[in-house]
């Protein structure tokens, strides 16, 4: 985590320099404020990572002799054939179209979203992929 702390620290310095140049050149307060807040955020994250790195064990990214495989671990389980993200995508698209074209479209998107969420939650509790 030491290298990530240094990266965020360097990025914070770059954003601060960009904020000063942008503020002096454009005299526009909204963009300057956004850049100063981005500097504060990068500083906060960099400080947290550097502070935590002192108390944590060295990771593979902190060693010069480490390979990529040294930091590999379990990535998790991903469903290989789920149709539920498609249902949620269609329902979400209908919901956003409802904001554009009319709120009445949300009445059609809500059941599609609920079916997608229900199917995704209970995907492995029924059917041929049942695990329990």
């Amino acid at each position: 985590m030491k290298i990530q702390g240094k990266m965020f620290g360097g990025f914070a310095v770059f954003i601060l320099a960009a904020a000063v140049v942008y503020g002096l050149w454009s005299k526009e307060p909204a963009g300057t404020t956004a850049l100063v807040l981005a500097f504060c955020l990068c500083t906060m994250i960099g400080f947290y990572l550097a502070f935590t790195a002192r108390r944590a064990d060295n990771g593979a990214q902190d060693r010069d002799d480490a390979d990529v495989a040294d930091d590999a671990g379990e990535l998790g389980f991903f469903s290989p054939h789920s149709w539920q993200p498609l249902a949620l995508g269609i329902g979400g698209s209908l919901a956003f179209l409802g904001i554009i074209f009319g709120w009445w479209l949300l009445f059609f998107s809500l059941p599609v979203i609920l079916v997608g969420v229900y199917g995704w939650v209970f995907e492995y509790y029924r059917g041929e992929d049942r695990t329990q």
Side-chain angles (χ1 to χ4, degrees), residues 33-120:
T33 304
L35 285 171
V36 169
L37 289 175
F39 162 74
C40 293
L41 182 64
C42 284
T43 304
M44 182 177 64
I45 293 172
F47 176 76
Y48 171 76
L49 289 173
F51 182 76
T52 306
R54 282 184 270 172
R55 295 186 293 155
D57 294 334
N58 284 344
Q61 67 269 17
D62 294 327
R63 295 192 330 254
D64 291 332
D65 62 339
D67 290 329
V68 175
D70 292 341
D71 207 20
E74 184 178 341
L75 296 177
F77 175 74
F78 300 98
S79 184
H81 57 277
S82 178
W83 287 90
Q84 308 315 319
L86 180 64
L88 287 173
I90 291 171
S93 299
L94 279 174
F96 284 114
L97 285 174
I99 294 171
I100 295 170
F101 293 114
W103 293 100
W104 58 270
L105 209 53
L106 290 174
F107 293 115
F108 296 105
S109 66
L110 186 63
V112 176
I113 291 173
L114 290 176
V115 165
V117 169
Y118 180 82
W120 213 349

